[in-house]
Amino acid sequence: MSWKCSTNSKCVHLIASRNASYSVLAQQTYHKSTSWMSPHLDRTAHRHRRSAQFVHEYPRAAAAIKNKHYVDDYLDNFEMIEEAIAVVNEVKLVHSKGGFTLRRFLSNEPEVLQGIGEEAEVEVKNLHLERDGKSESVLGMKWIPNEDVFIYAFGMREDLQCILNNDHVPTTHAVAWVVMSLFDPLGLIAFFLVHGNILIQELWAIGIGWGQEIPHNINEHWRQWADLLQQLDLLRIPRCYFHSSKDYARLQIHLFVDASETAYACAVYFRLETDRGAEVAFVGAKTKVASLKTLSIPRLELKAAVLGIRLMETIQRYHTHTVSRRYFWSDANTVLAWVRSTDHRRYHKFVAVRVGEILSSTQQSEWRWVPSMHNVADLATKWNNGPQMTMENPWFRGPAFLYEPEEHWPKQRTVTPTEEELRPTHFHAVHFAPAMVFKRFDRYVERKIIWNSATSDELQRAERALLKTGQSELYAEEIAILVKTQGPPENRRAIVDKSSSIYTKCPFLDENDILRSRGRISAAP
């Protein structure tokens, strides 16, 4: 995940995984540089040089310096305390050889801090941007190492209190400031934040100015959203997925997607089968506000599926554990019909392109139907009575059926093919005069000749007869003109009237009086 923290009044980005038991975070200080490069590029170059220099002597430290450093910070995760102490000490040693110092260590395990000779300076790590000691974020995401949980805490400033006051009607600027300042890189509270973004879109759609107060009907929705905002500090989201499990051989990934007229969303969960039963962990989510350009619900559901597939690929790429099985859940029968279609290219391009992307990363058999009442992504796309701001919310725990054996999961429906979004097929209809009776065919019938026993010459003569008959019905005037002409084909183009549909084809009659078109090969020198 991406974190924001305070380092010398600048934004620092960290990447942390949640699939390890012990986490270590440290800030890096460095010597004064005389390089022509920017400080960030200079430090990056130094890190790569040090990792390459000590890759044989300290391979684990070199890998950590190359892959676990983000601007000024080092963040790593370990399964064992002893491993954490050994690697961190090696990283400190390699940094010291280049004039760099790691300080302000944090860990969820005090024994790690003791083993590296450090003491934690703070009990709670702010994961939001601060400048000159004044928080620039309305809502700060924090990590409590002792509890190893993420929390959301307010910086209760007077201007924030004023905006959230029940008697205050905010401006468009104030609403946007509050909503866009919320920091949620993993989508842990995306089910709530997306509705704030919907409010901003509504204000934009009706043309409310930046400094104007929001209208009464939208202010009612804002009050409901702002009241729930202040309940976010009740959440305690575990950083680690599974605290007690070490065997990830039966690790599954479950993706849920959903859409409404206002938004579409996806949510991803890990499910681990153990001897004690199934454990479920919330991994992350992603939401998007629906475009102001009206789209059908099936199209929005399809966009949710694409959004989910992209998130799933990112999660698999940045996690070290191998996923044994994957499940993709949707309550949209139309989307499931598109995905399971034998040929998705027959649909409109909007559908065909997105189904093609889905099938490039998934198998048709991995897609399943889920009732809307069990689809956790539905919590993000519909407001209903407002989100439940507790850890008992299915958004954090996952749907109840994932804790049960697979035979108790939702029964799969038979998805019938759909004609929605099918591309129309165009035919060029040509009306012929009543069929003519060919004397030569009569002679073939009298002789009881069938095609399998007809000679090659007879078949060719029959083909020419059919061609001449059809052409005489469609292009009688052109043939009448060309019959009277002499000479090679290139001299005959001007003979046919320009209003003729075959004028540009350079028509001519061959030696069998068959109407033909001059090709590019004959025009070549």
Side-chain angles (χ1 to χ4, degrees):
M1 61 169 285
S2 295
W3 285 358
K4 291 183 180 177
C5 66
S6 169
T7 305
N8 297 331
S9 301
K10 57 180 177 292
C11 179
V12 177
H13 299 279
L14 306 177
I15 305 294
S17 67
R18 296 170 57 207
N19 59 348
S21 300
Y22 306 107
S23 181
V24 177
L25 171 64
Q27 180 183 331
Q28 175 180 285
T29 59
Y30 50 93
H31 61 277
K32 184 177 181 180
S33 175
T34 58
S35 172
W36 57 269
M37 294 186 291
S38 68
H40 168 61
L41 293 177
D42 191 16
R43 295 193 295 275
T44 302
H46 276 288
R47 286 203 301 269
H48 283 283
R49 283 198 296 268
R50 288 196 302 277
S51 62
Q53 181 180 358
F54 294 97
V55 67
H56 299 295
E57 188 175 358
Y58 303 106
R60 293 185 301 178
I65 291 172
K66 182 178 180 180
N67 301 319
K68 302 292 185 177
H69 282 61
Y70 311 94
V71 189
D72 291 336
D73 295 85
Y74 165 48
L75 181 64
D76 213 337
N77 293 268
F78 305 91
E79 294 288 348
M80 304 297 295
I81 294 177
E82 296 77 10
E83 181 189 8
I85 296 174
V87 174
V88 171
N89 282 327
E90 288 182 2
V91 170
K92 291 175 62 178
L93 176 62
V94 173
H95 273 303
S96 65
K97 293 180 181 294
F100 289 74
T101 303
L102 289 177
R103 61 184 181 86
R104 299 178 62 183
F105 276 84
L106 283 177
S107 175
N108 60 324
E109 177 53 55
E111 187 177 340
V112 173
L113 297 177
Q114 295 175 5
I116 61 177
E118 298 283 347
E119 293 184 1
E121 295 185 8
V122 293
E123 295 182 355
V124 178
K125 178 62 180 175
N126 292 295
L127 304 177
H128 60 84
L129 177 63
E130 294 178 355
R131 294 183 179 176
D132 301 326
K134 183 179 181 181
S135 176
E136 292 295 327
S137 293
V138 175
L139 178 63
M141 182 178 178
K142 298 183 179 183
W143 173 42
I144 303 180
N146 292 338
E147 299 180 34
D148 202 16
V149 295
F150 295 131
I151 65 171
Y152 295 87
F154 291 99
M156 286 304 181
R157 295 158 44 177
E158 292 183 2
D159 50 357
L160 173 60
Q161 290 286 5
C162 179
I163 295 174
L164 298 180
N165 191 297
N166 289 331
D167 299 327
H168 177 72
V169 179
T171 62
T172 302
H173 172 269
V175 172
W177 177 64
V178 174
V179 174
M180 302 309 294
S181 297
L182 299 173
F183 182 67
D184 185 40
L186 277 181
L188 301 179
I189 54 174
F191 70 102
F192 168 70
L193 298 187
V194 66
H195 297 287
N197 291 321
I198 292 173
L199 285 174
I200 296 176
Q201 186 190 60
E202 290 179 1
L203 293 171
W204 175 266
I206 63 178
I208 303 299
W210 197 242
Q212 291 179 278
E213 291 185 349
I214 64 177
H216 176 72
N217 61 325
I218 296 183
N219 187 48
E220 291 182 354
H221 296 160
W222 163 254
R223 289 262 49 88
Q224 296 174 5
W225 189 87
D227 290 343
L228 288 172
L229 173 67
Q230 302 177 65
Q231 299 180 25
L232 287 177
D233 57 359
L234 301 175
L235 302 178
R236 293 289 188 275
I237 303 174
R239 180 197 61 83
C240 193
Y241 295 131
F242 310 108
H243 286 281
S244 58
S245 300
K246 300 298 181 183
D247 183 10
Y248 298 97
R250 292 181 289 176
L251 181 66
Q252 302 171 357
I253 190 169
H254 291 257
L255 168 69
F256 294 83
V257 298
D258 188 62
S260 67
E261 293 180 351
T262 55
Y264 53 99
C266 61
V268 180
Y269 299 82
F270 280 147
R271 181 180 185 270
L272 183 63
E273 293 181 347
T274 67
D275 296 336
R276 299 178 301 278
E279 298 182 35
V280 180
F282 178 40
V283 182
K286 198 169 184 61
T287 59
K288 284 187 178 293
V289 176
S291 172
L292 290 175
K293 180 181 178 181
T294 303
L295 290 177
S296 66
I297 294 299
R299 283 194 171 196
L300 289 171
E301 294 272 10
L302 183 60
K303 293 186 71 172
V306 173
L307 184 70
I309 292 302
R310 293 173 180 174
L311 177 61
M312 180 272 300
E313 288 181 325
T314 301
I315 289 173
Q316 286 194 272
R317 184 164 59 249
Y318 288 103
H319 283 76
T320 56
H321 297 303
T322 302
V323 174
S324 61
R325 296 187 67 180
R326 305 186 304 178
Y327 299 87
F328 308 112
W329 302 89
S330 174
D331 55 15
N333 287 316
T334 302
V335 172
L336 293 176
W338 286 337
V339 172
R340 297 177 183 177
S341 171
T342 55
D343 184 10
H344 62 273
R345 296 172 297 177
R346 60 197 181 104
Y347 296 109
H348 282 293
K349 185 175 293 186
F350 184 99
V351 173
V353 170
R354 286 165 177 79
V355 172
E357 180 178 348
I358 291 172
L359 294 179
S360 66
S361 304
T362 67
Q363 302 294 325
Q364 291 178 331
S365 58
E366 294 177 319
W367 285 88
R368 294 195 171 200
W369 174 81
V370 61
S372 296
M373 63 181 299
H374 295 308
N375 189 355
V376 286
D378 187 80
L379 298 173
T381 60
K382 301 174 182 64
W383 180 261
N384 296 325
N385 296 323
Q388 178 186 356
M389 289 298 181
T390 68
M391 291 307 298
E392 298 303 314
N393 188 335
W395 179 265
F396 299 108
R397 293 178 49 82
F401 70 82
L402 288 184
Y403 293 88
E404 301 176 0
E406 186 170 352
E407 56 266 22
H408 295 154
W409 290 1
K411 301 299 181 182
Q412 293 305 294
R413 289 181 174 180
T414 301
V415 178
T416 57
T418 178
E419 295 185 357
E420 188 163 353
E421 297 286 349
L422 272 179
R423 288 187 301 176
T425 303
H426 299 284
F427 295 94
H428 180 65
V430 179
H431 299 282
F432 289 92
M436 299 178 62
V437 179
F438 302 106
K439 293 182 178 180
R440 65 190 66 187
F441 288 167
D442 289 341
R443 289 197 299 268
Y444 292 160
V445 173
E446 291 174 0
R447 291 166 53 189
K448 298 182 180 180
I449 297 177
I450 60 174
W451 288 108
N452 290 337
S453 60
T455 65
S456 175
D457 181 63
E458 288 175 333
L459 292 175
Q460 290 179 2
R461 284 187 293 144
E463 181 183 16
R464 287 195 295 268
L466 289 172
L467 288 173
K468 291 176 66 175
T469 302
Q471 290 177 351
S472 64
E473 292 289 336
L474 290 175
Y475 308 111
E477 294 182 6
E478 289 85 346
I479 293 175
I481 295 174
L482 292 174
V483 166
K484 301 176 182 178
T485 61
Q486 298 292 332
E490 57 268 17
N491 296 334
R492 301 188 184 187
R493 177 175 178 178
I495 302 301
V496 177
D497 192 271
K498 290 185 177 181
S499 62
S500 172
S501 61
I502 61 173
Y503 170 77
T504 58
K505 307 299 182 182
C506 302
F508 69 96
L509 293 177
D510 65 7
E511 63 277 6
N512 296 310
D513 292 330
I514 301 293
L515 187 63
R516 298 188 181 275
S517 172
R518 181 186 178 193
R520 294 183 179 180
I521 295 178
S522 60

